[in-house]
Amino acid sequence: MYIRNAVGLIVIGLTLFGASTKPLHADAIRAATDEWPPFRILTDEGFTGLDLDLIHEVGKRVGTDIDVVRMPWGRGLASMQTGAVDVMTGLAYRKERAEYIAYTDTPYYACETAFYTPASRPVSITSYEDLQEHTVGFVLHSAYFEQFDQDTTLDKLGVAAENILIDMTKRGRLDVMIGTDCQVDYYLKTQGLGDRIVKTEYRPGNTVNLFLGVSRQSEWAERVEELNTIVKDLVDEGIVDAFARRYYDNPS
């Protein structure tokens, strides 16, 4: 279920569902992705993970090929703007992104935002206002929650990837980092870092829904409703939860 084979099945299915003016066969969809375990796990043989399980099942239901291109998150979003890639997974909805991304209507997973601090010198964060006293690390081009995303008064330090952020935090080079709990908690557990990085008391209480999105510059944007039907079916049938149980004891 590595990504080239697993994801690889969307294009033909999209055309089969589409108008007769569309070709029955087309070039493979280009999907941008990067490491974000347990959703996208990079191994020596390629990508696996919950997102790959999802796309594999979508592919089985529509039947086509997808070429997965590994790139940093920000570059992936930029490539969605130009149509250099066709799809991305793990997308949080933002109005500005919706200008160039056609989101499926149904999120396939839900997470929450959390803050983390190095266990070697933990800081007390019990409210949003406490963040004002510290440097807060975040992943560039990520969407967490509106208050934080739009706040220009905080001392923020942006990095290119989650693993960089976690490494800086465990080494005590950051006071606080922000993350998505369904990803960060999994990573800390599987990497044995639970005694190096701890979650703060403060919780924004928001929900981060994850979507499949299609570049509006891609011909496949016309087929987003068919994709949404499939994603909704996978959620309603409990198949996404079954995928999640491969990685979590208590899936979302």
Side-chain angles (χ1 to χ4, degrees):
M1 73 176 57
Y2 296 104
I3 193 158
R4 174 119 187 179
N5 295 326
V7 178
L9 304 172
I10 292 182
V11 175
I12 293 175
L14 294 175
T15 57
L16 289 176
F17 278 107
S20 59
T21 56
K22 294 292 182 181
L24 291 179
H25 299 278
D27 292 337
I29 279 182
R30 288 171 60 84
T33 197
D34 199 3
E35 290 185 86
W36 204 59
F39 297 88
R40 282 103 58 189
I41 303 169
L42 184 61
T43 73
D44 291 340
E45 297 178 338
F47 277 100
T48 64
L50 197 158
D51 279 7
L52 284 303
D53 296 339
L54 171 75
I55 299 174
H56 176 70
E57 187 61 30
V58 170
K60 282 170 58 178
R61 297 190 180 205
V62 298
T64 198
D65 291 325
I66 290 184
D67 285 333
V68 173
V69 183
R70 184 187 180 192
M71 59 180 65
W73 188 250
R75 190 186 305 166
L77 291 173
S79 297
M80 291 283 277
Q81 287 183 284
T82 64
V85 297
D86 301 301
V87 301
M88 290 179 73
T89 56
L91 289 163
Y93 181 86
R94 288 292 182 270
K95 182 186 297 186
E96 60 272 20
R97 290 181 181 177
E99 294 180 2
Y100 59 91
I101 294 174
Y103 286 85
T104 55
D105 292 337
T106 303
Y108 63 89
Y109 208 81
C111 307
E112 294 183 359
T113 301
F115 292 88
Y116 301 81
T117 185
S120 60
R121 52 181 187 84
V123 296
S124 176
I125 305 294
T126 60
S127 68
Y128 186 85
E129 289 68 31
D130 290 338
L131 297 172
Q132 292 284 350
E133 302 175 16
H134 305 283
T135 300
V136 183
F138 72 103
V139 177
L140 291 164
H141 311 291
S142 292
Y144 297 103
F145 62 102
E146 200 70 25
Q147 183 180 15
F148 178 85
D149 296 342
Q150 302 301 322
D151 195 338
T152 58
T153 67
L154 291 178
D155 181 13
K156 299 179 185 177
L157 176 64
V159 301
E162 200 93 35
N163 61 327
I164 299 174
L165 195 62
I166 291 173
D167 185 67
M168 292 179 67
T169 304
K170 77 177 181 182
R171 296 176 185 276
R173 294 173 59 194
L174 274 175
D175 299 333
V176 184
M177 63 166 274
I178 187 173
T180 307
D181 64 350
C182 55
Q183 188 272 327
V184 177
D185 290 357
Y186 173 88
Y187 188 88
L188 297 181
K189 178 181 178 181
T190 57
Q191 299 300 312
L193 295 175
D195 61 344
R196 303 282 300 276
I197 298 175
V198 295
K199 192 181 291 187
T200 68
E201 181 180 339
Y202 170 61
R203 305 283 195 283
N206 66 311
T207 298
V208 181
N209 288 319
L210 302 182
F211 295 86
L212 173 70
V214 184
S215 168
R216 293 191 182 277
Q217 298 300 315
S218 168
E219 63 181 297
W220 312 117
E222 299 175 17
R223 305 300 206 277
V224 71
E225 289 304 321
E226 289 106 78
L227 282 177
N228 182 62
T229 298
I230 294 170
V231 172
K232 185 176 186 302
D233 287 346
L234 294 177
V235 172
D236 291 346
E237 294 166 15
I239 293 175
V240 175
D241 270 353
F243 292 154
R245 281 191 288 273
R246 298 174 180 175
Y247 311 97
Y248 298 110
D249 295 330
N250 298 298
S252 170

